[in-house]
Amino acid sequence: DAQFARSQKPDDYARIVRWMRLYRDHKPKAMEYYTKLRFEKMANAQIRELMAAFFDDLRDPEMAGNTFAKLRLGEMSDDDLVALARYLWAKDGALVKDTCMSMTDKELGEVELLRYYHSKKDAAQGVPLADSVVRSPRFAREALFKKAQLLQGAGKFAEAIAAYQQADNPPDNLWGIAECYAKQDKVEQAVAQLREVEGFFKAQAPEAALRIARLYQDAGKSKLYVAALRAVLRKYPESGQSSEAHQHLERLGIKSGGGVDAD
């Protein structure tokens, strides 16, 4: 206390918050310093630091929420609000929503909230919000893709495929469509999507070819599985997927050469 008093300057609230952090293991003492704060004189950045101290150091989410309520959100830039919302992702979903809805750019606020729901795999709230964000030309494609992923995670594979098709951001949506078909045991439809990736996206081609092999393996189609592994070796000999295919064939006790099966 004496050390604090010797160097403390009037209205240096940032230093008071730092002192509270030092007393993280002595909460009553930290709260004694809390009484020295004057929120009407504090900058938003200082109030945010105090909120973080309650969340991260003092482990008091209720007081953190009370401190959040002291923030003058209307005075903050949208960039600052985005940063605040993302900090709160791991803390409090209700506060994330309040922050996003405070943004001047309402479309940005909605898509930031959608990103949060997507990170939490919350289809119940995320899908309806995605349908709203889709109306924004800036964020429509992202909203459709996130909607598709949320639907896929919720096991609504037919709806997810429709959303992936609308998203039209290949090859990402093609991977998703293939996974949805695979979950429905529609192996050939899944393979067709992976063939499209392999045919049109050179960088992803080896992985698409290997995933085709895995689909056949999971479906119990052993001959097609072996043929697909050999195709990976033949088409993409320098790739990491080729090494993996070779290992699979070795475990099966099958030579990794060519032959009729390779086609």
Side-chain angles (χ1 to χ4, degrees):
D1 287 344
Q3 183 180 345
F4 175 84
R6 276 197 303 273
S7 302
Q8 182 64 10
K9 296 177 181 179
D11 298 335
D12 188 354
Y13 299 109
R15 187 166 181 266
I16 296 174
V17 173
R18 288 200 299 274
W19 231 255
M20 290 178 65
R21 287 183 183 272
L22 292 174
Y23 285 118
R24 63 173 59 87
D25 297 322
H26 305 278
K27 189 174 177 183
K29 192 65 180 176
M31 295 307 294
E32 182 181 324
Y33 276 83
Y34 177 79
T35 64
K36 300 176 184 292
L37 298 169
R38 297 294 178 265
F39 286 100
E40 69 276 7
K41 295 184 176 182
M42 294 173 68
N44 268 324
Q46 294 170 333
I47 297 172
R48 179 178 167 175
E49 278 299 307
L50 176 63
M51 179 192 70
F54 277 121
F55 270 129
D56 301 328
D57 298 292
L58 296 165
R59 310 295 183 188
D60 190 335
E62 183 177 354
M63 282 301 297
N66 291 340
T67 305
F68 173 88
K70 306 289 187 182
L71 285 166
R72 298 178 291 278
L73 299 178
E75 297 177 8
M76 297 175 68
S77 71
D78 282 351
D79 285 345
D80 287 340
L81 289 169
V82 167
L84 174 61
R86 294 191 181 184
Y87 165 78
L88 291 166
W89 274 22
K91 310 297 185 184
D92 189 312
L95 300 185
V96 172
K97 183 175 181 179
D98 289 345
T99 303
C100 291
M101 293 302 97
S102 298
M103 293 180 193
T104 303
D105 185 339
K106 299 304 179 186
E107 291 181 354
L108 177 62
E110 281 197 333
V111 79
E112 278 297 324
L113 185 56
L114 173 60
R115 289 164 182 161
Y116 169 70
Y117 290 144
H118 177 264
S119 75
K120 296 296 182 182
K121 298 180 172 58
D122 186 345
Q125 297 190 79
V127 170
L129 182 57
D131 287 333
S132 176
V133 177
V134 155
R135 294 194 290 268
S136 165
R138 285 188 293 165
F139 302 117
R141 184 172 291 186
E142 179 183 352
L144 283 166
F145 188 66
K146 283 183 166 51
K147 175 183 176 180
Q149 291 182 312
L150 287 167
L151 288 167
Q152 180 181 345
K156 298 180 179 180
F157 301 118
E159 294 177 56
I161 288 170
Y164 276 129
Q165 290 169 337
Q166 286 183 284
D168 190 27
N169 60 336
D172 295 335
N173 65 325
L174 298 177
W175 295 122
I177 292 170
E179 290 169 4
C180 288
Y181 277 133
K183 290 291 186 180
Q184 298 176 91
D185 296 322
K186 296 180 178 180
V187 177
E188 292 310 317
Q189 290 96 320
V191 168
Q193 297 300 310
L194 294 174
R195 294 281 187 215
E196 189 172 342
V197 175
E198 186 182 10
F200 291 97
F201 300 94
K202 184 177 180 180
Q204 290 80 22
E207 178 60 25
L210 185 60
R211 289 196 193 188
I212 289 170
R214 292 183 187 135
L215 281 175
Y216 287 138
Q217 179 187 28
D218 293 341
K221 299 176 181 289
S222 57
K223 288 186 178 180
L224 290 173
Y225 172 47
V226 171
L229 290 174
R230 285 178 168 169
V232 174
L233 294 175
R234 176 169 48 84
K235 294 179 182 178
Y236 314 108
E238 304 301 321
S239 68
Q241 288 80 5
S242 177
S243 298
E244 188 173 339
H246 179 77
Q247 291 169 14
H248 281 288
L249 288 169
E250 280 193 335
R251 283 195 289 269
L252 292 169
I254 297 172
K255 293 182 179 179
S256 56
V260 176
D261 284 347
D263 296 322

